[in-house]
């Protein structure tokens, strides 16, 4: 799956939004416990380091990466086989302690870049920021040498993490650098996406209350779906009311028209028009109102939906820029209205049917007029 | 001559609030083919009611109205409409043309209702408008025509389907004497030329004199039937 959500993938984050993001971390045994839950296919932990700088000694180039992610390569390649795809099929035969994998956007920072920042087997000097309170100054930078194992293909933004902006380092090496056994995130793959909510609940049960947040794509999709359903019901009820009002309006106009043309109807009947002819005449008129009204409605709807889509798109800006979950590519979300010929035709047919239904009463009224009385009408 | 239309003991009354007003109180007569008949009488004598009954626009309370020997009152509303479309033509006092349509379109109307092809409709309408002397005015609307011209359009419309019977309700009532006389002469000419039966309701004795026969109606009964010198000549 290259686009949309990876429904079978859960992300476990320490802390909750309500309790504030705590400094809690995960450990190896957390991953082990999660792996034991039934329905979990695989689980892997990652550690994330903020802005890092990469220097390639071969071509003397420097780039910055938003997120350096320390991973267990073996697990990672298996879990994200769709997204963790190497450029030109050049991938490491073995992941060493100094292997680095570079995301597409880090390797080609701008659209114009044709020559990559690095290729496999290049030596990269990585500058990492370290924060240590026992040290003075508490923040300092360290340089480490890594060998490029491969570079990734461009994959866009499936779900909430965009590998294009990431670089990947071996978890054990980074743990050694920081002298820690902790990790920041756990990625979980479930065997059946339908079970993802149950699995998420069980994972939550492993931790004390309010210690973890689990991002479940299925739940997110269900919530969006629920909101859309509510919006749809609301729009339907507004539409039904407008339809009723419009229908009564049509009935009113046509009744007035019948009264105004009483004499004409009398003349037509006197010269031999049957009641059914008069009925057909007025129903045709109602149908014409439907066709013209339908066409006006469709063109108005066309214009309005583009205006609305434009407005909504400009509202949908991300709140947290530059974090692990928001990357420059997710910043703009565009909504494009979809017009299908079937629905357009259906709308016109519906408009015609409404006009005929509400035109029936005045048309029958006209058809039933007594010719002599109609002729006397002033 | 054979009777094309028969009126037998026809009675008709109207209810106005709680009062019942008798309009026709037992009227009987026969009409021969290609006859030009005038129904003459003061206003309120029931002549318009009689005309509406003969044209199948209304139904009597009692009695029979026979066209070609069959009682039209046994026909349902649709059949009556068909009869009005194919066998009867109406001419009214106030012309009753559709104001938004041109003279040509007004004349075409019965053919359009009958579902005749557009080509034939146009050809027939032009012919008949020429016959009533309006070939120059076919694209004018009623508001652009004089009273006499409007009545000619109405006559053309009444004749377009080649009906056996033409019923005219005070056709000259809304016209000056000279124009009125011209209209009667036109109807007379058409009656002789096309062998159609004409029934003209009028309260003008001069117009009535143009007919073959005059039925004098008063208070809903026939007071007398008079044959004019024209008839006697035949």
């Amino acid at each position: 799956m290259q686009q949309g959500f990876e429904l079978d993938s859960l992300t476990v984050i320490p802390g909750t939004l309500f309790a504030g993001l705590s400094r809690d971390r995960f450990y190896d045994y957390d991953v082990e416990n999660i792996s034991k839950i039934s329905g979990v296919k695989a689980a892997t932990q990652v550690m994330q380091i903020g802005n890092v700088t990469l220097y390639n000694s071969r071509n003397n180039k420097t780039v910055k990466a938003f997120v350096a992610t320390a991973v267990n390569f073996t697990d990672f390649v298996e879990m994200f086989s769709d997204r963790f795809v190497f450029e030109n099929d050049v991938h490491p035969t073995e992941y060493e302690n100094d292997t680095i994998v570079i995301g597409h956007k880090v390797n080609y920072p701008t659209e114009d870049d044709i020559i990559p920042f690095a290729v496999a087997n290049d030596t990269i000097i990585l500058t990492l920021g370290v924060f240590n309170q026992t040290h003075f100054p508490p923040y300092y930078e360290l340089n480490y040498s890594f060998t490029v194992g491969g570079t990734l293909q461009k994959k866009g933004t499936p779900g909430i993490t965009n590998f294009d902006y990431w670089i990947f380092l071996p978890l054990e090496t980074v743990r050694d650098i920081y002298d820690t056994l902790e990790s920041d995130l756990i990625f979980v793959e479930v065997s059946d996406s339908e079970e993802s909510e149950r699995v998420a609940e069980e994972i939550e049960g492993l931790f004390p209350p309010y210690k973890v947040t689990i991002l479940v794509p299925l739940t997110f999709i269900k919530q969006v779906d629920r909101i859309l359903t509510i919006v749809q019901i609301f729009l339907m009820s507004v539409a039904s009311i407008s339809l009723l009002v419009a229908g009564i309006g049509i009935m009113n106009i046509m009744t007035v028209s019948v009264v105004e043309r009483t004499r004409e109807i009398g003349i037509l009947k006197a010269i031999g028009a049957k009641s059914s002819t008069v009925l057909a005449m007025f129903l045709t008129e109602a149908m014409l109102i439907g066709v013209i009204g339908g066409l006006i409605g469709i063109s108005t709807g066309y214009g309005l939906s583009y205006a609305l889509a434009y407005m909504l798109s400009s509202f949908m800006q991300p709140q947290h820029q530059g974090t692990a979950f928001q990357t420059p590519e997710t910043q703009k979300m565009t909504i494009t209205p979809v017009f299908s010929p079937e629905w357009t035709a259906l709308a016109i047919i519906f408009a015609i049917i409404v006009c005929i239904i509400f035109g029936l009463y005045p048309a029958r009224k006209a058809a039933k007029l007594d010719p002599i009385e109609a002729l006397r009408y002033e | 001559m054979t009777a094309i239309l028969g009126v037998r003991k026809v009675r008709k009354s109207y209810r106005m609030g709680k009062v019942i007003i008798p309009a026709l109180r037992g009227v009987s007569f026969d009409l021969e083919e290609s006859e030009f008949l005038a129904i003459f009488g003061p206003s309120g004598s029931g002549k318009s009611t009689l005309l509406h009954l003969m044209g199948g626009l209304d139904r009597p309370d009692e009695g029979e109205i026979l066209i070609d020997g069959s009682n039209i009152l046994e026909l349902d509303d649709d059949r009556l409409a068909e009869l009005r479309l194919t066998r009867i033509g109406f001419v009214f006092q106030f012309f009753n043309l559709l104001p938004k349509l041109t003279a040509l379109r007004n004349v075409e109307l019965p053919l359009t209702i009958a579902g005749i092809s557009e080509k034939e409709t146009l050809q027939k309408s032009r012919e008949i408008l020429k016959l009533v002397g309006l070939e120059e005015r076919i694209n004018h609307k009623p508001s652009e025509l004089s009273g006499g011209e409007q009545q000619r359009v109405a006559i053309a419309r009444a004749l377009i389907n080649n009906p056996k019977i033409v019923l005219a309700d005070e056709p000259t009532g809304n016209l000056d004497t000279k124009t009125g006389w011209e209209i009667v002469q036109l109807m007379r000419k058409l009656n002789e030329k096309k062998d159609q039966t004409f029934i003209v309701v009028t309260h003008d004795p001069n117009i009535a004199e143009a007919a073959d026969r005059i039925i004098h109606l008063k208070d809903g009964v026939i007071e007398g039937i008079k044959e004019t010198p024209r008839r006697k000549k035949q």
Side-chain angles (χ1 to χ4, degrees), chain A residues 100-116:
Chain A
I100 180 171
V101 172
I102 300 174
H104 188 269
K105 269 284 173 182
V106 179
N107 211 20
Y108 301 89
T110 67
E111 297 286 335
D112 302 329
D113 285 318
I114 302 163
I115 301 162

Side-chain angles (χ1 to χ4, degrees), chain A residues 67 103-104 118 131 143 148 153 169 171 182 203 225 242 255 295 313 316 322 336 352 359 361 366:
Chain A
V67 184
H104 188 269
F131 187 81
N143 294 330
V148 177
Q153 286 182 14
L169 306 168
L171 181 65
E182 298 170 341
I203 294 171
D225 214 42
S242 351
T255 309
L295 288 176
S313 300
M316 290 176 99
T336 317
I352 293 169
Y361 168 74

Side-chain angles (χ1 to χ4, degrees), chain A residues 41-325:
Chain A
K41 198 173 166 188
T44 188
Q45 54 187 332
V46 305
M47 192 178 158
Q48 293 198 309
I49 314 150
N51 296 336
V52 293
T53 310
L54 290 79
Y55 169 73
N56 189 342
S57 54
R58 178 175 57 83
N59 53 17
N60 212 21
K61 271 187 185 170
T62 305
V63 295
K64 275 181 174 286
F66 277 109
V67 184
T69 310
V71 301
N72 179 328
F73 279 112
T74 323
D75 290 350
F76 216 73
V77 170
E78 207 180 292
M79 280 179 72
F80 298 101
S81 56
D82 289 336
R83 288 207 276 150
F84 205 76
V85 182
F86 287 91
E87 225 176 7
N88 309 322
D89 207 27
V90 177
H91 51 83
T93 45
E94 211 169 314
Y95 292 94
E96 307 286 346
N97 281 342
D98 68 339
T99 301
I100 180 171
V101 172
I102 300 174
H104 188 269
K105 269 284 173 182
V106 179
N107 211 20
Y108 301 89
T110 67
E111 297 286 335
D112 302 329
D113 285 318
I114 302 163
I115 301 162
F117 161 72
V119 294
N121 298 322
D122 276 359
T123 302
I124 301 292
I125 306 296
L126 198 71
T127 307
L128 300 169
V130 180
F131 187 81
N132 186 345
Q133 281 178 324
T134 60
H135 190 271
F136 185 84
Y139 181 82
Y140 54 96
E141 288 179 338
L142 292 173
N143 294 330
Y144 292 92
S145 178
F146 284 89
T147 305
V148 177
T151 54
L152 296 184
Q153 286 182 14
K154 185 177 164 67
K155 284 293 177 186
T157 315
I160 48 172
T161 51
N162 190 346
F163 291 175
D164 290 357
Y165 292 87
W166 292 11
I167 59 163
F168 302 85
L169 306 168
L171 181 65
E172 292 312 316
T173 309
V174 176
R175 277 183 167 177
D176 284 346
I177 292 170
Y178 285 91
D179 190 22
T180 176
L181 288 171
E182 298 170 341
S183 57
D184 299 306
L185 297 170
I186 300 176
F187 289 118
V188 180
E189 190 185 353
V190 293
S191 19
D192 180 5
S193 62
E194 287 298 316
E195 292 208 8
S196 56
E197 284 178 314
R198 178 190 59 81
V199 171
E201 265 176 44
E202 286 192 32
I203 294 171
E204 222 172 337
L206 293 175
F207 296 90
Y210 303 114
K211 283 292 179 190
V212 289
T213 300
I214 303 170
L215 304 179
V216 187
L218 190 73
T219 308
F220 181 71
I221 286 174
K222 277 185 179 172
Q223 271 172 358
V224 170
D225 214 42
R226 207 169 302 141
I227 292 166
L228 285 180
T229 309
I230 292 168
V231 169
Q232 213 164 18
I233 290 170
F234 173 73
L235 286 178
M236 290 259 279
S237 48
V238 169
S240 320
I241 293 167
S242 351
L243 205 67
L244 188 73
V245 173
I248 292 169
I250 289 162
M251 195 155 80
N252 188 29
I253 286 173
M254 286 203 49
T255 309
V256 169
S257 160
V258 166
V259 171
E260 271 178 356
R261 284 147 70 180
T262 300
R263 207 182 160 87
E264 279 182 36
I265 296 162
I267 296 167
L268 287 176
K269 286 195 136 186
I271 62 174
K274 289 178 190 166
S275 296
S276 54
T277 311
V278 176
L279 186 82
M281 226 174 76
F282 278 88
L283 283 184
T284 309
E285 215 171 286
M287 219 165 83
L288 222 72
I289 293 175
V291 171
I292 294 168
L295 288 176
I296 292 173
I298 280 167
S299 39
T300 312
Y302 198 83
L304 273 183
S305 41
Y306 272 102
L308 202 69
Y310 177 77
M311 271 164 60
L312 281 178
S313 300
S314 52
F315 277 128
M316 290 176 99
Q317 298 292 347
Q319 302 301 307
H320 313 287
Q321 289 187 18
T323 65
F325 306 107

Side-chain angles (χ1 to χ4, degrees), chain A residues 263 267 269-272 372 375, chain B residues 58 81 84-85 96 98 157:
Chain A
R263 207 182 160 87
I267 296 167
K269 286 195 136 186
I271 62 174
I372 295 183
L375 279 174
Chain B
D58 207 352
R84 291 198 294 270
L85 185 63
N96 278 344
L98 297 190
R157 185 180 66 189

Side-chain angles (χ1 to χ4, degrees), chain A residues 339-356:
Chain A
F339 290 92
S340 76
E342 290 88 6
W343 282 99
T344 310
L346 204 72
I348 291 212
I349 291 168
F350 198 63
I352 293 169
I353 290 172
V354 166
C355 284
I356 288 178

